[in-house]
Amino acid sequence: MNKEDTGLTIAGKTYKSRLLVGSGKYKDLEETRVATEASGAEIITVAIRRVNIGQDPNQPNLLDVVPPTKYTILPNTAGCFNAEDAVYTLQLARELLDGHKLVKLEVLGDPKTLFPNMPETLKAAELLVKDGFDVMVYCSDDPIQAKMLEDIGCAAIMPLASLIGSGMGILNPWNLSLIIEQSKVPVIVDAGVGTASDAAIAMELGCDGILMNSAIALAQDPVRMARAMKAAVEAGRDAFLAGRIPRKFAASPSSPMAGRIVS
């Protein structure tokens, strides 16, 4: 059966690209622009506490190189360690972006691991959903807590593959598979992807998309890596839709034995 990819739908809007990218860590805004274009991404996440999108009129504005007319800007709460700060940060973003509702929530547990603080994440998610936000939420790869976030009303669940910026890849594919199986909203891997094969594996598991920043921005050639990630996400999605052959403990000849010529 031929399965068509109908795109990634989040909060009622459909995107062709299943690769979401960050906007930080590049050497300058020009590199940000070129790498973002090479990635083919349509959703660009922005750390409101670290990047200027109009808060300071005297500094370069990220929106000049990734304009909201071309991309969906996804403000995030990077650097927040409690629900109160996260909610305030996204309310500020809504004002700066003229009522923008789609946001990425992340509440961190500590500055060393950047692992999510799940009690504060759940608290913030509930407050933001009640306030009318469409919340994409960074979380642990715990299926129970992922379900709790979905039940609150989050628009997308974003479990980590491994620690933010670690490049360690998919450390627990089994938990990701459990989250994918149970979820009725998009599941987007967030954090830990290091190279194209990591991205392909995540998509082959059935993830709806991947968000990455460090893997592209800190590569020796960010623009080439952006192209590689674009191709990997597309290939992984195609492989998932195609359906892989089952794993077996026996060889199976590629050519049929019946009708062969015998001497």
Side-chain angles (χ1 to χ4, degrees):
M1 179 178 178
N2 183 33
K3 297 180 182 178
E4 291 188 11
D5 192 346
T6 56
L8 172 61
T9 301
I10 301 175
K13 183 174 180 179
T14 300
Y15 302 88
K16 293 181 181 178
S17 175
R18 292 179 177 274
L19 175 59
L20 294 71
V21 298
S23 53
K25 303 183 180 180
Y26 291 98
K27 67 179 182 181
D28 54 36
L29 288 181
E30 177 61 14
E31 186 175 74
T32 305
R33 181 188 69 80
V34 177
T36 301
E37 289 181 355
S39 74
E42 297 167 271
I43 301 177
I44 316 300
T45 188
V46 177
I48 297 300
R49 289 188 156 203
R50 299 170 182 165
V51 177
N52 182 40
I53 60 169
Q55 306 96 307
D56 187 346
N58 300 314
Q59 296 295 323
N61 190 332
L62 176 69
L63 301 185
D64 291 337
V65 297
V66 287
T69 53
K70 183 176 181 180
Y71 301 101
T72 293
I73 304 300
L74 182 66
N76 71 58
T77 58
C80 292
F81 293 87
N82 59 67
E84 183 179 2
D85 286 350
V87 171
Y88 172 78
T89 298
L90 293 178
Q91 288 172 338
L92 172 63
R94 183 167 58 185
E95 291 183 17
L96 290 169
L97 295 170
D98 300 321
H100 186 80
K101 293 172 58 179
L102 186 66
V103 297
K104 181 195 168 190
L105 170 65
E106 56 181 86
V107 184
L108 306 176
D110 65 72
K112 181 179 180 181
T113 68
L114 303 181
F115 207 80
N117 179 327
M118 290 310 300
E120 290 293 297
T121 296
L122 288 159
K123 179 180 175 182
E126 188 167 8
L127 291 170
L128 289 165
V129 169
K130 286 181 179 178
D131 195 19
F133 286 94
D134 295 320
V135 181
M136 302 172 66
V137 57
Y138 167 66
C139 60
S140 64
D141 60 353
D142 179 342
I144 303 303
Q145 297 192 89
K147 185 65 167 63
M148 292 169 70
L149 289 165
E150 182 175 346
D151 290 344
I152 284 171
C154 290
I157 305 301
M158 306 180 74
L160 79 172
S162 50
L163 297 182
I164 291 174
S166 70
M168 291 294 291
I170 314 298
L171 295 187
N172 196 335
W174 314 113
N175 277 24
L176 284 179
S177 295
L178 289 170
I179 293 171
I180 292 164
E181 183 180 0
Q182 74 184 11
S183 297
K184 295 179 174 60
V185 298
V187 176
I188 298 171
V189 160
D190 182 14
V193 168
T195 191
S197 57
D198 299 331
I201 289 170
M203 298 306 295
E204 288 170 8
L205 286 171
C207 290
D208 295 286
I210 303 176
L211 189 151
M212 65 181 74
N213 186 190
S214 299
I216 295 175
L218 299 183
Q220 294 181 34
D221 185 339
V223 177
R224 176 167 285 185
M225 184 61 82
R227 291 199 301 266
M229 291 300 189
K230 177 178 184 291
V233 168
E234 291 172 352
R237 180 65 179 176
D238 274 347
F240 170 72
L241 293 176
R244 64 159 293 138
I245 63 170
R247 291 181 173 89
K248 296 181 290 187
F249 289 101
S252 178
S254 298
S255 301
M257 298 298 285
R260 71 191 187 281
I261 298 174
V262 293
S263 56

